[in-house]
Structure formats: structure tokens, C-alpha cells
Amino acid sequence: MTKKMEKLLDSLIVPPGKKIDLRNDYDPGHTGHFMSKGEVKKTMAADIHLLSLQQDKLYAQDTYALLILFQAMDAAGKDSTIKHVMSGVNPQGVQVTSFKVPSVEELDHDYLWRNCVALPRRGDIGIFNRSYYEEVLVVRVHPEYLDRQHIPPDLKDQDLWNRRFDEINNFEKYLTDNGIIILKFFLYVSKEEQKKRFLERVEEPDKNWKFSAADIHERVHFEDYMDAYEELFNHTSTPYAPWYIIPADHKWFTRLTVVSAIHQTLDRLHLAYPEMTHEQEEALLKAKEDMVNEGRNPGKGRKPMKKESGKNS
Ligand code: AMP
Ligand code: MG
């Protein structure tokens, strides 16, 4: 990875412990030192290939797990980013979980429950398309949703949001302390670009299926969501699980930075294929010898057939 790219990725991280101003400090249209999609095509292809090699080692090593979490407003490109970035990896080692409006069963549990059961096992990459962060986003913008959560009345006070930030930080600390590496991406799309993409969904027949009247309705609360996002970044970007604010008005730039950040994170783990112990090496050599000699001495090693005795004699 070039120094320039490293610097660019660093600039997208929300500095832990510092207060940011989302609207002033970050720009959804930013493309770093790149000018166009064509310019990054080769780098992107190389990064996707590198990611597949890293995943192979992650899987073989069976020690770390990688949890990649995506949050964004509608039409910011979560689904297509996941599709592109993961296009080279072995499907056996990746699970994508999309968190929707919680079911009756899910609402009967604490809010982290459904996330816990979807965590990646060691060696795997788990992708959360939305996550427990909805609990301090959509639920904060629509506090009436709390009524469905069966929370004891005396715990439904103004301090609930701060407690949730603490709970989330503690949960993420617990995960990283157990070898589950966490990457959190917010795809930052502008309100104008969102409108353009919604209109495409209406006007282009092969995008009609993506259109949802509910999404248009939610757009009314765009600024409330930005406030809720800013607040959560200021509370939950930590040294062990930092937030990346990924500019999302240009999809090619979103994909490039996401794949590079994943690649950089895996690189820091110094992944390697497991080393064989002396006994394992011996067993391998023995297995090879057995296979090479297979069929050479047909009689050798076979038990002689027992003569049936007694019956017909
Ligand atoms: P989509 O990702 O477009 O399929 O939409 C999923 C919907 O589920 C979004 O409107 C989210 O806000 C909503 N959702 C996800 N998690 C929660 C949650 N914990 N509580 C309430 N709504 C949620
Ligand atoms: Mg949607």
C-alpha cells in the first residue's frame, strides 16, 4: 500500500476521544487524490485479489475473525459495496447478515442478542449490513420504537442513549479482546446524491425493485439522522474499534477505500498458514509414502482370508 493511500485511510478515521463535526469535517463528495473511476480500476482489481489471498490464510489459521459492519442512509451503496468488495473471496468463509426491523422474537430479547448469534467464527469474515448501531440511530430518531422493546419503565430515561454507547463500547472491547477484529464503515452519502439515486430507482425499470416509499418518507428525517450519527461517532470511535467515515457520493471511491481498509487491517495481523509440528510433518511424509507405495506389494499388509472351518468338512 502506498504512503498516500495510508494517509488517505487515516484521514477517514474518526479520531477516538475527539469531537467531530460531521457536516463540516467530512465531505460525501471527497475522492482524495484520485480524479476518476478509470484511474483506480487496476488498484481495485489488485486489492480484491490480495483480499482473497489474505482470507485464505485467515481461514487456514483459524484464530482471528473479522467483523465488518456497515451503516448508512438508504441508497448510500451498502449492498453494492459488499457485492463488489467481496467478489473475490471464498464464500465458505464469509457470512453476510442484514439486520431489518426486529421480529417479535428478537424484540423479546436484549438488543445485542440477534447480533451475538450472527458473529463470525474464528477464521471467518462476518459482514453486518446494518447492526446494533440502529439502536442509537433509527430508534433514536423514532423513540416510540422503544415501546416495542419491553424495557422496564424506570430504565427508559434520557440516559438510555449514553448507556447504550457504553454497552456497545464494552461489547466491542470484549470482542476484540477475544480476537474478533472490528471494522466499522459509515457510507456517507449527501442528501442531494440520495435524491438522485432515489429518482433513478423510479425512472429506470431495472432499478424499480429497489424503490421503497418508506425510504422516501425516512428522507424527511435526514438531518436528525446526521445528528444521531455524529453523536454515535463521538461516543463509539475507539482505538480498538474505530469508525471510518467513507465518502459515498462516488461509488468507485467508496469501494476502493473500503477494500483498502480491509486489506490494511488484515495485513496488520501478519496472517500466515499454520506451521506444521514435527509430528504432523512426519505424518504427512508417512501418508505420502503409503500413497506412493499403494498397489506395489498387493499381498503386503493385507490380512489373509480366514479359512472357514467346521461347516462343510
Ligand atoms: P433495508 O436495509 O433497506 O432493507 O431496511 C431495513 C430497515 O430495518 C431499515 O429501515 C432500518 O432502519 C430497520 N431496522 C434495522 N434495525 C432496526 C432496529 N434495531 N430497530 C428498528 N428498525 C431497524
Ligand atoms: Mg432500504
Side-chain angles (χ1 to χ4, degrees):
M1 183 169 301
T2 63
K3 282 264 170 292
K4 247 184 172 176
M5 194 67 201
E6 278 181 10
K7 228 176 140 192
L8 173 61
L9 290 177
D10 280 349
S11 73
L12 303 178
I13 293 177
V14 177
K18 249 181 103 181
K19 290 260 172 289
I20 60 144
D21 176 338
L22 180 60
R23 295 166 183 87
N24 280 323
D25 301 344
Y26 297 85
D27 170 15
H30 188 60
T31 58
H33 52 282
F34 300 104
M35 308 295 282
S36 72
K37 184 176 177 175
E39 197 187 332
V40 303
K41 219 174 152 185
K42 270 197 191 146
T43 317
M44 182 77 197
D47 276 352
I48 286 177
H49 177 64
L50 269 177
L51 185 57
S52 78
L53 301 180
Q54 287 174 314
Q55 183 214 7
D56 208 46
K57 288 183 188 161
L58 181 80
Y59 191 82
Q61 193 172 321
D62 200 16
T63 303
Y64 291 105
L66 179 65
L67 173 63
I68 309 174
L69 189 154
F70 288 94
Q71 285 294 155
M73 296 300 283
D74 290 303
K78 280 187 283 101
D79 296 31
S80 70
T81 301
I82 293 169
K83 184 165 103 181
H84 276 83
V85 167
M86 291 294 143
S87 58
V89 302
N90 178 356
Q92 229 170 195
V94 185
Q95 299 88 42
V96 183
T97 310
S98 298
F99 291 96
K100 310 277 179 185
V101 176
S103 68
V104 171
E105 190 194 9
E106 286 165 349
L107 285 169
D108 235 3
H109 287 270
D110 61 280
Y111 70 92
L112 286 177
W113 178 75
R114 66 173 182 167
N115 298 270
C116 290
V117 294
L119 288 171
R121 60 182 74 196
R122 297 189 193 281
D124 281 6
I125 298 177
I127 296 177
F128 282 7
N129 184 347
R130 302 187 191 273
S131 65
Y132 44 88
Y133 279 101
E134 290 293 330
E135 294 293 335
V136 286
L137 285 165
V138 67
V139 184
R140 193 158 192 192
V141 173
H142 301 281
E144 66 276 14
Y145 288 4
L146 279 177
D147 297 341
R148 302 186 303 212
Q149 298 194 355
H150 310 270
I151 299 172
D154 57 326
L155 292 177
K156 255 193 323 187
D157 52 4
Q158 262 313 305
D159 206 34
L160 178 118
W161 310 115
N162 281 329
R163 283 202 308 270
R164 286 195 169 178
F165 291 142
D166 287 346
E167 287 151 9
I168 288 172
N169 286 337
N170 290 336
F171 178 59
E172 292 179 347
K173 180 78 172 69
Y174 161 78
L175 294 180
T176 49
D177 281 349
N178 281 276
I180 298 153
I181 311 298
I182 306 173
L183 272 173
K184 306 187 290 198
F185 295 116
F186 167 57
L187 307 192
Y188 186 26
V189 74
S190 65
K191 201 173 175 195
E192 301 72 54
E193 180 63 23
Q194 188 196 48
K195 183 176 181 174
K196 196 178 133 227
R197 292 182 190 172
F198 278 164
L199 285 173
E200 280 169 10
R201 290 178 178 188
V202 175
E203 284 157 7
E204 295 176 26
D206 62 350
K207 288 188 181 169
N208 285 169
W209 66 275
K210 289 190 195 173
F211 178 78
S212 146
D215 290 353
I216 308 287
H217 183 72
E218 214 47 21
R219 186 176 149 76
V220 176
H221 304 288
F222 200 97
E223 297 308 326
D224 297 332
Y225 273 101
M226 293 306 107
D227 289 341
Y229 269 112
E230 185 178 275
E231 180 93 359
L232 83 82
F233 295 143
N234 284 334
H235 283 90
T236 63
S237 196
T238 55
Y240 48 90
W243 271 105
Y244 286 80
I245 298 183
I246 304 285
D249 278 4
H250 301 281
K251 285 192 169 185
W252 57 267
F253 185 72
T254 307
R255 291 167 192 166
L256 176 77
T257 43
V258 167
V259 75
S260 300
I262 299 173
H263 174 202
Q264 186 188 46
T265 301
L266 289 176
D267 215 36
R268 288 177 179 155
L269 296 179
H270 303 294
L271 298 168
Y273 291 107
E275 277 194 28
M276 297 282 118
T277 60
H278 182 65
E279 288 75 30
Q280 285 169 323
E281 258 171 22
E282 300 242 295
L284 282 181
L285 288 175
K286 170 81 173 60
K288 181 181 169 188
E289 195 185 312
D290 287 351
M291 280 188 281
V292 170
N293 291 333
E294 217 172 59
R296 284 209 180 138
N297 288 316
K300 199 182 158 210
R302 235 211 259 147
K303 268 191 187 159
M305 276 233 259
K306 251 193 192 161
K307 257 199 178 163
E308 298 217 9
S309 57
K311 264 188 186 169
N312 296 324
S313 56

